[in-house]
Amino acid sequence: MAADQKGALNTRAWIVFLDESGVSLLPQVRRTYAPRGRTPLLRHRLNWKRASMAGALGYHSTDPDRGARLCFHLKPGSYDTTALIEVLEQMKAFYRGERVVLVWDGLSAHWSRAMRARVAEQDWLTLERLPAYAPELSPVELLWSSLKKRELANLAGDHLADVADATEQGIYRINHNPQLPWSFLAHTGLTLHPSTPPN
């Protein structure tokens, strides 16, 4: 990591990981229990309607006692640069304009000319890029896994609203268990507590 990147990460700021994932009306098939001889069946309409979700999981670089914070966004269709700029505006309100170092992957919409121009106008926001092919470094991947193995598992909804409701229930569950967001962050191997008190 370059010296200027290290400097950016050592500022008194929220370190926030942002990632996107997709969901659809096709069920996330998972193993389950059933009475012997009664194999469970999933009945659905082969509907390919899709929604996209963005999750931003962060912690304060010099004050971990402020807790891990999770910001969530859900929309029909997929994310492009314009939609992601709207997500950043919501993040600014969520973090009340405090400094944020945003860590995300190399998706083209993350680094488009329009995105870089917009971020250059923001004094509260610094961007950092995850290494390529390293999803294990993003704690938000564990968030998606938790949702898809629990609330979205074997869900055969008729409408995207059914998927949205289940997803929001999962976000509520994770937000109300303070250990879960921290476990997602810790799983990446991050040092979450400053080694020396900030000056």
Side-chain angles (χ1 to χ4, degrees), residues 5 17 24 29 31 39 49 52 60 76 83 102 105 126 138 148 156 186:
Q5 290 175 319
F17 293 83
S24 77
V29 179
R31 282 183 173 226
T39 303
K49 283 187 181 173
S52 296
H60 200 275
L102 183 64
D105 59 27
T126 303
S138 175
K148 290 177 180 181

Side-chain angles (χ1 to χ4, degrees), residues 158-199:
D158 290 324
H159 307 283
L160 278 176
D162 300 328
V163 176
D165 289 346
T167 303
E168 287 171 3
Q169 288 171 12
I171 294 296
Y172 181 87
R173 168 181 61 86
I174 291 165
N175 258 334
H176 284 76
N177 180 344
Q179 293 177 342
L180 263 181
W182 279 118
S183 71
F184 298 158
L185 287 160
H187 188 77
T188 65
L190 290 168
T191 301
L192 300 176
H193 297 281
S195 54
T196 56
N199 296 333

Side-chain angles (χ1 to χ4, degrees), residues 3-15:
D4 58 339
Q5 290 175 319
K6 285 184 181 177
L9 290 174
N10 286 331
T11 59
R12 297 181 189 203
W14 289 92
I15 309 299

Side-chain angles (χ1 to χ4, degrees), residues 37-173:
R38 289 198 225 160
T39 303
L41 298 176
L42 285 177
R43 301 185 192 282
H44 60 89
R45 300 171 187 251
L46 286 174
N47 192 322
W48 290 88
K49 283 187 181 173
R50 292 184 60 80
S52 296
M53 46 191 182
L57 179 58
Y59 70 100
H60 200 275
S61 60
T62 58
D63 189 3
D65 291 336
R66 295 175 76 173
R69 298 197 65 195
L70 173 60
C71 180
F72 179 76
H73 186 268
L74 182 71
K75 72 176 289 298
S78 57
Y79 284 103
D80 58 10
T81 297
T82 303
L84 286 170
I85 287 173
E86 290 175 17
V87 171
L88 293 184
E89 289 301 314
Q90 289 187 14
M91 273 185 54
K92 182 177 181 179
F94 183 76
Y95 285 100
R96 299 188 175 121
E98 290 188 74
R99 285 196 51 72
V100 168
V101 176
L102 183 64
V103 185
W104 56 11
D105 59 27
L107 184 73
S108 58
H110 293 171
W111 301 98
S112 68
R113 183 175 298 162
M115 178 63 77
R116 284 182 281 131
R118 185 59 177 258
V119 170
E121 300 169 353
Q122 309 300 312
D123 59 356
W124 63 279
L125 183 62
T126 303
L127 296 184
E128 294 290 338
R129 187 174 187 153
L130 281 170
Y133 308 110
E136 70 279 3
L137 297 179
S138 175
V140 186
E141 293 288 348
L142 296 168
L143 167 70
W144 301 145
S145 178
S146 179
L147 289 174
K148 290 177 180 181
K149 287 179 180 173
R150 190 149 169 186
E151 282 78 12
L152 297 177
N154 302 319
L155 175 67
D158 290 324
H159 307 283
L160 278 176
D162 300 328
V163 176
D165 289 346
T167 303
E168 287 171 3
Q169 288 171 12
I171 294 296
Y172 181 87
R173 168 181 61 86

